[in-house]
Amino acid sequence: SVMEFKSVMDMRTAEKMLRFPLLGQRINGGWNLVLRQEFHMTNDSGLFKPQPGKGRLPLYEGKMIWQFDHLYSAPRYWVAEGEARMALLGRLQDKGQPLPYERYQVAFRSAGENTNERNLICTVLPQRVVCGNSLILVDDFQGDNGQLLSLCATLNSFVADYLLRLKIQRNLNLFLIYQMPIPRLDRKSTYFREMVDRACRLVCTTPEYDGLAKAVGLKSHNSGATEPAERDRLRAELDGLNAHLYGLTEEEFAHILATFPLVPDPVKVAARN
């Protein structure tokens, strides 16, 4: 996709961010990922049940999530686990092998326009859920749970969203995400721990995330942030960390924030501070 620059500042800022490798680029010695989509809301509709029940998995749709939030709205459909496994395995024989829905996964909305409040809307989904095609999933991920959270934190940042807006007109797809220059943090990075701690507290707010919380050093979901003011503070701190991570100046970050006219000014001020 071709970027559409509106100013010299856009060019300068994008050039600085593009020093990092694209997500679709395979990196030896670091984590890599593969993106995918699961159930098509029309073609697979025969599998969808309107009520929960024993052995049924909730079907997540894009409108059910917000940044760091898997409870933005309730599910409409459920899928019997046996039928879900058959569909996901395709022609492969089911030998009880672990499938992606059984682990924590980063997911982001595929619908959006560059005039929306935000375009990159991402969270970490709980285990044992399946997804419709309005969500794009991180499937084959060679990183650990900490790196999964740091990826979510960067995808939700103003700086990543800004760069995507230089390309997107309407709706995301896998290829746009593969073209994103996202730092692949490891435990040696000075930013890693600070980003993982904050992202974990934003994501891990219900018992389904106890395993994820413990894996990165929190006791349980009870350490998660549920008060709106605290969540706003953590998100602002993550935005500031990501601006530093990309090496942006205060002027460049201010320019990025100015390209989000629907975001309230207090949110922008908090991110800059």
Side-chain angles (χ1 to χ4, degrees):
S1 301
V2 178
M3 291 186 179
E4 297 182 5
F5 299 119
K6 297 180 180 179
S7 67
V8 174
M9 180 69 80
D10 281 336
M11 294 178 63
R12 190 175 76 190
T13 304
E15 184 178 30
K16 183 175 287 189
M17 295 177 67
L18 285 164
R19 293 179 302 177
F20 291 94
L22 306 183
L23 273 181
Q25 181 180 342
R26 308 298 289 181
I27 302 294
N28 294 327
W31 57 261
N32 297 288
L33 56 77
V34 175
L35 303 174
R36 67 185 173 90
Q37 291 173 294
E38 286 186 335
F39 293 96
H40 194 280
M41 296 304 294
T42 300
N43 297 343
D44 296 316
S45 61
L47 299 175
F48 305 159
K49 312 296 191 294
Q51 299 293 334
K54 185 177 181 180
R56 292 181 180 179
L57 306 171
L59 179 76
Y60 267 68
E61 301 176 67
K63 60 188 175 184
M64 291 173 57
I65 73 166
W66 189 253
Q67 292 184 326
F68 305 107
D69 183 3
H70 73 294
L71 297 173
Y72 197 62
S73 68
R76 295 189 299 163
Y77 302 113
W78 288 257
V79 181
E81 184 170 7
E83 294 179 345
R85 291 186 65 87
M86 289 180 61
L88 294 173
L89 285 167
R91 297 182 179 180
L92 297 177
Q93 183 179 357
D94 190 351
K95 299 180 180 179
Q97 60 268 53
L99 294 181
Y101 76 86
E102 298 177 87
R103 61 175 180 258
Y104 299 108
Q105 299 183 83
V106 168
F108 47 91
R109 291 185 181 185
S110 61
E113 298 183 53
N114 61 5
T115 54
N116 289 353
E117 177 183 347
R118 299 297 297 268
N119 285 96
L120 267 177
I121 296 171
C122 167
T123 192
V124 178
L125 295 180
Q127 296 167 313
R128 302 187 60 76
V129 305
V130 292
C131 297
N133 59 293
S134 55
L135 285 173
I136 298 174
L137 298 163
V138 172
D139 184 9
D140 186 12
F141 183 73
Q142 287 89 45
D144 60 22
N145 285 321
Q147 288 158 334
L148 200 71
L149 285 164
S150 72
L151 171 64
C152 180
T154 299
L155 288 173
N156 276 332
S157 68
F158 281 114
V159 290
D161 206 338
Y162 159 79
L163 198 63
L164 182 71
R165 283 173 178 241
L166 296 177
K167 296 183 178 184
I168 188 175
Q169 293 297 323
R170 183 177 179 85
N171 293 335
L172 300 182
N173 58 50
L174 281 67
F175 305 103
L176 283 171
I177 301 302
Y178 279 136
Q179 293 170 14
M180 296 289 294
I182 302 296
R184 305 190 193 191
L185 299 183
D186 58 28
R187 295 183 178 276
K188 297 178 182 178
S189 168
T190 56
Y191 295 98
F192 181 82
R193 187 72 256 170
E194 293 187 44
M195 291 180 64
V196 169
D197 286 346
R198 289 167 173 81
C200 186
R201 293 189 61 208
L202 287 165
V203 169
C204 299
T205 57
T206 59
E208 300 100 312
Y209 291 98
D210 281 348
L212 180 59
K214 291 177 182 177
V216 297
L218 272 69
K219 292 182 179 180
S220 72
H221 72 282
N222 292 319
S223 301
T226 56
E227 293 295 326
E230 185 180 15
R231 292 183 65 83
D232 289 346
R233 176 181 62 80
L234 292 171
R235 289 186 57 179
E237 291 173 357
L238 282 174
D239 277 310
L241 284 167
N242 275 289
H244 284 292
L245 178 61
Y246 279 99
L248 301 179
T249 65
E250 184 174 349
E251 181 186 16
E252 290 164 343
F253 190 38
H255 169 72
I256 286 174
L257 293 172
T259 65
F260 292 86
L262 299 183
V263 173
D265 287 339
V267 174
K268 299 177 185 179
V269 171
R272 291 181 62 182
N273 295 335

